[in-house]
Amino acid sequence: MIETLNDEDYKLFRDLIYDESGITFSDTNRSILDGRIKELLRKKNIATPKEYFAKVTNDPEEMKLMLDSVTTNLTRFFRNQPHFDTFINYVIPKVIEEKRKGSDRVIKIWSAGCSTGEEPYTIAMVMKEICPPDFTFRITASDISLKCLMSAKQGFYPDSKVDGIPQDYLSKYFTKTEGGYQIIKELQDTIRFDYHNLKNDSGAKNLDVVFCRNVLIYFDEPAQQQVINRFWNAMAPKSYLFIGHSESLFGMKTNFEFLKTDWACIYQKNLK
């Protein structure tokens, strides 16, 4: 019989997850962590939480699997359409306008917390449609969940997952197969999928656009501040940040400027 997490067990795992990833579990969502740790105990045939805690802390691969299991991954293609309207009609034209002042013709985009890939593939489809012929684009998509990254790299989505994709995009960028749709290789090749913990520096520089939507809500204020600072350091002098519609940088010590467009509100790094 699997042993239930007591208060001491819960605190051990909660603090470990925070230290390793910055993800915060409060008392209000304790049941989520309890359930996922107990499921891991069942899968590993381990009787007690303390036994599993000892295994996790001594095995880096098991640590990755545990972090994978406790993260929530909810996404879809063209999620929050006003963000993509802003991306298409405002952000990319502004990025192109700025780049034409110099010689750089590569638009660099990061989808942070990409889950199973719907967001970066949506970005890639849009860029294929609107990127001028004298420009190219590079998309990096990262997540802390190895399972999600493997699914994203595969690029296969069941019929139920392609709702919301315009029909012309679906026919152009997907191949219909049994039970679902496969992203075409040409589109897959525009994205580099990468395991990344947002608690760490990405090493990225001069990014033009960063999408990090519905990720900050899992961090407490100090961890949010650290993530936002890392984004600032990784972004180009004139660049744009998309966060979730329920997220805000209000009250945070940051130089990002709040930007209200005709479609949605985003943030801008604007160094003269």
Side-chain angles (χ1 to χ4, degrees), residues 52-68:
Y52 185 61
F53 184 84
K55 180 177 177 60
V56 168
T57 52
N58 287 286
D59 185 344
E61 290 305 312
E62 191 65 38
M63 178 71 76
K64 288 182 180 180
L65 290 173
M66 189 266 290
L67 292 175
D68 189 334

Side-chain angles (χ1 to χ4, degrees), residues 62-109:
E62 191 65 38
M63 178 71 76
K64 288 182 180 180
L65 290 173
M66 189 266 290
L67 292 175
D68 189 334
S69 297
V70 301
T71 52
T72 300
N73 298 287
L74 176 65
T75 187
R76 63 177 182 272
F77 288 98
F78 288 92
R79 185 179 188 181
N80 194 347
Q81 182 63 48
H83 270 174
F84 286 102
D85 291 337
T86 301
F87 181 73
I88 293 167
N89 297 301
Y90 184 90
V91 168
I92 294 303
K94 287 290 187 182
V95 169
I96 290 170
E97 178 185 339
E98 187 64 27
K99 284 184 175 291
R100 288 204 186 279
K101 296 176 183 178
S103 59
D104 183 11
R105 293 293 183 269
V106 181
I107 300 171
K108 295 176 282 294
I109 303 168

Side-chain angles (χ1 to χ4, degrees), residues 13 44 80 93 178 272:
F13 279 101
K44 304 290 180 179
N80 194 347
E178 184 177 352
K272 304 301 182 184

Side-chain angles (χ1 to χ4, degrees), residues 161-198:
K161 293 287 188 179
V162 299
D163 290 345
I165 301 176
Q167 188 57 48
D168 56 334
Y169 280 41
L170 194 62
S171 60
K172 186 184 294 187
Y173 298 112
F174 292 79
T175 301
K176 183 71 177 84
T177 63
E178 184 177 352
Y181 290 82
Q182 175 65 48
I183 297 278
I184 63 171
K185 187 176 185 302
E186 181 185 355
L187 198 70
Q188 285 181 299
D189 289 345
T190 66
I191 302 172
R192 181 177 68 88
F193 288 99
D194 181 40
Y195 175 84
H196 180 65
N197 186 336
L198 286 173

